[in-house]
Amino acid sequence: MIEDYLDALDRRLHGPGSVKSELLTEVRHSLEDAAEAYRDDGLTTAGAEQRAVREFGGVDAVAEDCQAELAVSHSLGTVRTLLAGVVLLVLMWEVGRRLIIGPWEAFPGPPLNPLAGLAFGMAERLGIVLGLVIAVLLLSVRLLGRRTSARALSSLLTRFNVLAVLVYGTTLFLVCALGMFLRPEVFQDVGMVVIMTVTVLVMSRLGWLAGRSLRL
């Protein structure tokens, strides 16, 4: 009965494979320890396992709790990936701007529209602020996570991930669109093409991770 219980629980869980395996291992150990105690009390192996499973709780209820833990694990992983992605993009865009464009006032051709400089600066500042917010969030989860239920923590992290990706992704898209409109020659540079390609790949990955959080 323990194996059947674990198989049924396994089919209901979705999320990071390593965390899922750890949860199933914990459930197995709990059931096996309980069954062993009941056998020591004189029950048969089948009877001991049946009682252990019955007292442990229904599959649906246990799966709901375990799924919440998996959702938290996935959402935390997404937050960490988001932090790494934001740091990468901020550094990449700043280095690229300095190497490809240089100081705004020294850029050749007609005077650069102040709106372009404002847009680039806003994207960079937003990235820095977002990175700091993520760092504070991760620290808060580490300090207070044990006092918060897995379901509440999962909901908070999921909403944060979706909102952060939408806001930051939209900002980068608008900056690129504005730049290509005001200075198309800059965005035809090979270096800028590489930067924009990496940006699209990073934001697409972050968007997929954030969207997956909604389904867990």
Side-chain angles (χ1 to χ4, degrees):
M1 285 198 67
I2 290 179
E3 291 301 326
D4 292 340
Y5 186 93
L6 291 170
D7 288 342
L9 183 59
D10 186 16
R11 289 192 295 270
R12 285 168 170 77
L13 299 181
H14 307 281
S18 59
V19 180
K20 178 180 174 180
S21 178
E22 290 177 5
L23 289 173
L24 289 173
T25 299
E26 290 179 7
V27 173
R28 176 187 292 278
H29 289 165
S30 296
L31 290 172
E32 289 178 346
D33 289 344
E36 182 178 358
Y38 294 138
R39 282 196 298 271
D40 291 342
D41 288 340
L43 292 179
T44 63
T45 298
E49 291 189 2
Q50 184 177 17
R51 184 173 178 181
V53 166
R54 184 176 64 251
E55 294 189 355
F56 192 77
V59 173
D60 291 338
V62 174
E64 189 174 347
D65 291 336
C66 290
Q67 188 59 55
E69 295 289 344
L70 286 169
V72 169
S73 177
H74 174 79
S75 296
L76 276 175
T78 301
V79 171
R80 296 187 186 100
T81 304
L82 178 59
L83 177 59
V86 168
V87 172
L88 170 65
L89 292 179
V90 168
L91 292 176
M92 185 176 63
W93 276 92
E94 179 59 19
V95 172
R97 183 186 70 79
R98 291 180 180 276
L99 294 179
I100 298 169
I101 301 175
W104 296 117
E105 61 275 9
F107 189 78
L112 192 66
N113 190 313
L115 186 60
L118 178 63
F120 272 86
M122 181 179 67
E124 182 174 343
R125 286 191 290 273
L126 176 60
I128 293 173
V129 170
L130 181 57
L132 292 175
V133 171
I134 294 172
V136 171
L137 176 63
L138 288 173
L139 180 60
S140 300
V141 170
R142 186 178 182 85
L143 294 176
L144 304 176
R146 295 181 183 275
R147 304 177 187 177
T148 307
S149 70
R151 293 186 184 88
L153 187 57
S154 171
S155 177
L156 170 66
L157 294 174
T158 296
R159 294 184 182 191
F160 174 82
N161 285 330
V162 172
L163 180 61
V165 170
L166 282 176
V167 171
Y168 192 52
T170 300
T171 301
L172 291 177
F173 172 79
L174 292 176
V175 168
C176 290
L178 181 63
M180 285 186 285
F181 174 75
L182 296 174
R183 278 290 199 265
E185 67 276 14
V186 174
F187 285 81
Q188 292 171 2
D189 183 274
V190 174
M192 288 302 295
V193 171
V194 171
I195 289 174
M196 287 192 294
T197 300
V198 173
T199 299
V200 170
L201 292 175
V202 170
M203 294 310 302
S204 297
R205 175 63 177 174
L206 291 173
W208 182 84
L209 289 172
R212 189 163 184 254
S213 297
L214 294 172
R215 300 189 295 270
L216 293 179

